[in-house]
């Protein structure tokens, strides 16, 4: 399996730390951003295989950021896989956010099993 470069976008430090550690355990690399504005900067300057995007953040939330990626960034960056990070009910999530451009959903609490399943679907 090839090593992935994953951008973690979450305003809560402990969430970024946990996800980063789970990704490291699986043999992949991560970069962390505190909000959507910072994430866009990283995406413009670097290549990533996956973005893990929290929904509710200050400065620029996950919906706004994902819409910016889809509508304003050039290909192939506009096509990057963006996975929403949320505690929202998964059954209602895509109904509420269907137009945002997310590819998938990862619900809290995070676990090694959930991250493994998500990454294995990308490789």
């Amino acid at each position: 399996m090839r090593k992935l470069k994953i951008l973690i976008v979450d305003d809560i430090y402990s969430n970024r730390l946990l996800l980063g550690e789970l990704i490291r355990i699986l043999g992949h690399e991560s970069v962390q951003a505190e909000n959507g504005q910072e994430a866009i900067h990283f995406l413009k300057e670097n290549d990533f295989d996956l973005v893990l995007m929290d929904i509710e953040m200050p400065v620029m939330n996950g919906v706004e950021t994902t819409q910016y990626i889809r509508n304003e960034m050039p290909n192939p960056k506009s096509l990057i896989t963006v996975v929403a990070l949320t505690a929202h009910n998964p059954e209602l999530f895509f109904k509420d956010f269907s137009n945002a451009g997310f590819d998938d959903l990862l619900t809290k609490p995070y676990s090694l099993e959930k991250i493994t399943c998500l990454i294995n679907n990308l490789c």
Side-chain angles (χ1 to χ4, degrees):
M1 177 188 329
R2 71 181 177 91
K3 185 176 183 175
L4 300 177
K5 187 171 181 182
I6 301 169
L7 178 59
I8 301 168
V9 188
D10 197 315
D11 61 316
I12 299 173
Y13 174 75
S14 58
N15 288 342
R16 293 192 314 268
L17 186 67
L18 173 60
L19 286 168
E21 183 61 17
L22 293 172
I23 290 165
R24 186 195 65 75
I25 289 169
L26 293 171
H28 303 289
E29 178 185 349
S30 69
V31 173
Q32 300 177 11
E34 293 182 20
N35 59 61
Q37 190 174 55
E38 193 173 275
I40 289 169
H41 170 76
F42 284 132
L43 284 165
K44 286 180 177 178
E45 301 295 322
N46 302 279
D47 292 323
F48 292 95
D49 299 295
L50 170 66
V51 178
L52 300 178
M53 181 79 67
D54 188 30
I55 300 297
E56 298 172 12
M57 298 179 288
V59 183
M60 188 174 193
N61 70 40
V63 172
E64 295 166 329
T65 306
T66 302
Q67 289 173 335
Y68 182 93
I69 292 166
R70 298 296 185 228
N71 299 321
E72 304 297 329
M73 296 193 82
N75 287 342
K77 293 191 182 210
S78 66
L79 303 174
I80 190 168
T81 300
V82 179
V83 176
L85 304 175
T86 186
H88 289 269
N89 179 336
E91 293 176 12
L92 301 176
F93 176 80
F94 279 109
K95 178 182 168 201
D96 294 341
F97 299 103
S98 63
N99 296 325
F102 295 108
D103 295 293
D104 206 345
L105 171 68
L106 183 64
T107 57
K108 299 173 186 178
Y110 308 126
S111 68
L112 191 58
E113 180 181 349
K114 286 181 181 180
I115 298 293
T116 301
C117 181
L118 179 73
I119 288 174
N120 285 344
N121 287 330
L122 293 176
C123 298

